[in-house]
Amino acid sequence: MASNITPAVDDDAPALAGAIVIHAKKVCETADHLWRVLGDVSIPVDGLTDTRQQHKVSFGTESMARVYIYQTIYDLAQSEVADRLENRPALLKQLGLNRVPTQQNLSYAWNQFSEQTKTTLEAAAKGIAREARDHDVISEALIPINLGEKEANDDKSDSKVSRAHVREHGSKVVELARRHGFAEFDSDRADNRVYEDEQILDLFSNACLTQGSAHSEGEAGWFLEENEICDDSTFLRVIKQFATPSDEEVTRSVQELQIEDIVAFTELYREAVMASFNAATENILKTIRHEDPFDDRHVVAAVDFTHVPYHVWPWIDKDEKIPKAEYPPMVSGYKEDGEIKHGYTFATITIVGNDVPIILGIEPVKERSAWEPEDAPADSKADVVDVLLDTAQQYVDLDEVLLDRGFYSNEVYATIHDRGLVYMTPVPKYEDDYEAIGKIKSKEGVDAAVKNDVPFAIDGELHHTAEFLYVPATDEEAEGSYAVFVTNRDHVAPDEIMHVTNSYSRRWDIENQYKSVKAFLPRTSSKDYRVRLFSFTFAALLYNLWRLTDYLVKLGTDREIRSPPVVTARTFVRAVSQSLRQGG
């Protein structure tokens, strides 16, 4: 039986598609996400033909029309649409669905759409994609590529298709990354400056590519007689200006200031550099939001510390406890591979698991070291985690936070718990006593156990309870026969222990991230904290832009997002450097 929806007249189809697109254009003026455009655009169902019996269907014509437009824009198969709707509740809601349709539901509905209705919706989809691109809701680089018949039938490997995509669309993707990242850094110099910011960033990109330095880049410019390359002193001066607020001026060498003044200035530097980094990160996330890779059912972030080595001894005489007076106050000691080292400390929060691994926030960390006065200022781990979570939750809806054992602290856990988030971290020390472990709940036949409802207190008062999970140790997790994890999940059952603890392996993404970021770091011997802070932040930005580029390429070639990179980090930096030279 035909539905009571009035069949569309053929001549009205172009006008109907045009009306949908006109409204979509208006929606694009305020929307920051293509899903929201698809959810808010008006779909006049009285102009569509749907021959299903409307009083029996679970999914109405309007919602199915929105899904059809979504499928057309993203160039998906019905099975892929069904999978995405199942795994992304926000998308389901945005398209007007109250439950997940099966592939059979989609197939039946679309078979009951008339050819004219399909033509109308396909024309509307193309128009909506175009408007979304023109309003920066979706980048042109994100529009799925249509391989020619020859390429589509080619038996060559996927890597060949990927290379073809990179050649065809690479310049757009790299320029997108450049515009969204580098444009947010402003040295605030006079208009009559000799070298533009883009040229300085060009030098910095080259230094990152070769792990060179300001001196090596300036020397290369002199030797090759390249007038667009400044000398190393100019290079470093502009880098410092990137990290100095426009209304602040440091009249003396940073190292000549008292420690309290230095710490105060480093906070100003942090605000200046992080404002640029955060703006660039927001641009990156807006670019990939059309696909909303962070809207899975369970979004996990990892928080960790990393150290950038500083190869200078802090003592004049350690035995007599005489420190160097002008030793950089942001440098602290840390242990690595059983050896005491010195370096700058940075904390990051990064999306891990099945999502695009983007660094959402960075915090430089001031730790008190043995060579400093006892009253020297220092950052608490709970405060650092709190700031990182503030930053990250501006961009994504987090569910869980994974931390290194160095964050084992009631205050840290309270900070996370108060936000309604799940935390999980290894316990650094525990009583290696199998008999004690045997007394708590375990799953029969499995060498694991759980201790439920362990109290965690703040200022002597119960704050919340947590679960201690005991599992056989690996070399990475513990020195004893058992590794112990703590989490504030609700009452972990014995048969859930291994599943919960295995999920902690997702945190290792952050270890790979730090290797990549440090591979981008240029060499420097500068004691000025602005240079050190900018170097790490810019390296982290390059990491994010590389991940963005690789994501876009994978999207265009239908690759799994978490598959090995199609575009290597080194290839990306070379492409950015070349783009900067051409643009500058």
Side-chain angles (χ1 to χ4, degrees), residues 76 95 137 150 196 241-242 272 292 344 348 353 416 491 508:
L76 301 172
L95 296 179
V137 177
K150 179 180 178 181
E196 295 296 325
Q241 287 176 286
F242 280 132
D292 213 339
Y344 295 89
T348 63
I416 300 172
H491 204 81
W508 294 113

Side-chain angles (χ1 to χ4, degrees), residues 37 108 118 133 198 248 255 271 289 331 350 389 451 480 483 517 536:
V37 176
Y108 175 71
K118 293 177 184 177
R133 179 198 63 195
E198 290 83 358
E248 294 291 338
Q255 300 308 314
E271 290 179 1
R289 276 291 185 186
V331 172
T350 305
L389 288 174
K451 186 175 182 180
V517 170
F536 184 85

Side-chain angles (χ1 to χ4, degrees), residues 5 70 84-85 121 129 134-135 142 189 287 295 321 436 541:
I5 296 178
Y70 172 83
R84 293 191 181 198
L85 292 174
L121 296 177
D134 292 346
H135 285 80
L142 301 177
R189 289 175 292 146
T287 300
D295 200 62
K321 296 184 178 180
L541 175 63

